[in-house]
């Protein structure tokens, strides 16, 4: 197993946001995490990526406990996150933002400036522009490219479609198969249930910090997803 969380508890100071969460990600697969606002989706991503610490054995990467590791060490192991809100460096150009990701590169791999520009050609055209001078969709492409520059085997995407136009969302999600073709697994956090079911091999639904449903999209009824998402029949 590439990644496992085992009874994961996490939160902020005295506020607990996750209560015994178990998920698993196999090499090369796409897993979607769905749930309403406040379900704990972003907290889960932060705990996996090392932004939030947990007990060591609550997060396993290739069987090795990493729950206690800080984010830079987690990234060096091969887990990169595209954070909600993109968080580009406003004083840096597109290319300089991408090169930040390369500083955490682990050995050789498929991703470098040229391959990122092939994935998102508009970034080559805007390479000298300030990152924050781009449209929201282009900024999201920079954030994804920055994460890929570290050559991860697991890419965590936290709300990558949030606030973007449908045509832009389509273009960004069209890049996922090419990312997975390099052998990387992808975890996508989504509020858009339809989008999540379209791209995922498996889905986990969170509600109030707990897993309420898991399965393959084709095996899950809309009614079951609705109940897991909202907590019962309307």
């Amino acid at each position: 197993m590439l990644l496992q969380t085992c009874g994961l508890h996490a939160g902020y100071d005295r506020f607990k946001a996750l209560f015994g969460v178990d998920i698993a990600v196999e090499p090369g697969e796409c897993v979607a995490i769905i749930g309403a606002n406040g379900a704990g989706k972003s907290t889960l991503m932060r705990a996996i990526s090392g932004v939030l610490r947990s007990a060591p054995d609550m997060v396993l990467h290739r069987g090795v406990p990493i729950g206690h590791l800080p984010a830079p060490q987690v990234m060096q192991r091969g887990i990169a996150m595209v954070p909600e809100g993109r968080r580009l460096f406003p004083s840096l150009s597109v290319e300089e933002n991408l090169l930040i990701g390369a500083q955490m590169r682990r050995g050789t791999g498929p991703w470098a400036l040229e391959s990122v520009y092939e994935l998102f050609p508009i970034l080559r055209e805007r390479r000298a522009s300030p990152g924050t001078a781009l449209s929201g969709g282009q900024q999201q492409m920079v954030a994804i490219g920055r994460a890929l520059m570290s050559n991860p085997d697991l890419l965590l995407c936290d709300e990558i479609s949030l606030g973007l136009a449908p045509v832009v969302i389509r273009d960004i999600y069209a890049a996922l198969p090419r990312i997975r073709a390099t052998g990387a697994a992808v975890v996508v956090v989504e509020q858009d249930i339809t989008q999540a079911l379209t791209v995922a091999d498996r889905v986990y639904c969170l509600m109030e910090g707990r897993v309420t449903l898991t399965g393959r999209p084709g095996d899950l009824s809309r009614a079951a997803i609705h109940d897991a998402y909202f907590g019962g029949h309307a």
Side-chain angles (χ1 to χ4, degrees), residues 167-190:
V167 64
V168 177
I169 295 170
R170 182 193 64 200
D171 290 344
I172 287 175
Y173 270 91
L176 292 187
R178 294 180 61 184
I179 294 171
R180 294 178 63 191
T182 67
V186 180
V187 175
V188 177
V189 165
E190 262 296 348

Side-chain angles (χ1 to χ4, degrees), residues 117-181:
Y117 288 148
E118 289 175 2
L119 183 67
F120 298 122
I122 188 63
L123 298 187
R124 187 195 304 275
E125 299 176 23
R126 305 297 304 274
R127 63 198 301 170
S129 300
T132 52
L134 307 183
S135 69
Q138 292 166 359
Q139 289 185 40
Q140 192 63 276
M141 293 173 187
V142 176
I144 294 170
R146 180 180 60 189
L148 291 174
M149 288 285 286
S150 67
N151 279 305
D153 58 21
L154 177 60
L155 182 69
L156 308 175
C157 298
D158 192 3
E159 302 280 15
I160 56 173
S161 67
L162 191 64
L164 301 182
V167 64
V168 177
I169 295 170
R170 182 193 64 200
D171 290 344
I172 287 175
Y173 270 91
L176 292 187
R178 294 180 61 184
I179 294 171
R180 294 178 63 191

Side-chain angles (χ1 to χ4, degrees), residues 90-102:
S91 63
L92 302 182
S93 68
V94 165
E95 188 157 298
E96 289 168 336
N97 269 282
L98 292 173
L99 290 172
I100 290 291

Side-chain angles (χ1 to χ4, degrees), residues 154-226:
L154 177 60
L155 182 69
L156 308 175
C157 298
D158 192 3
E159 302 280 15
I160 56 173
S161 67
L162 191 64
L164 301 182
V167 64
V168 177
I169 295 170
R170 182 193 64 200
D171 290 344
I172 287 175
Y173 270 91
L176 292 187
R178 294 180 61 184
I179 294 171
R180 294 178 63 191
T182 67
V186 180
V187 175
V188 177
V189 165
E190 262 296 348
Q191 289 189 51
D192 185 331
I193 297 175
T194 300
Q195 183 69 69
L197 296 179
T198 300
V199 300
D201 299 309
R202 285 188 300 119
V203 177
Y204 290 88
C205 185
L206 293 184
M207 186 175 66
E208 297 179 351
R210 294 176 171 85
V211 175
T212 52
L213 184 71
T214 184
R216 299 192 176 277
D219 299 332
L220 302 176
S221 70
R222 286 287 179 172
I225 294 171
H226 181 280

Side-chain angles (χ1 to χ4, degrees), residues 19 54 72 81 137 154 175:
F19 304 91
S54 61
M81 184 162 73
L154 177 60

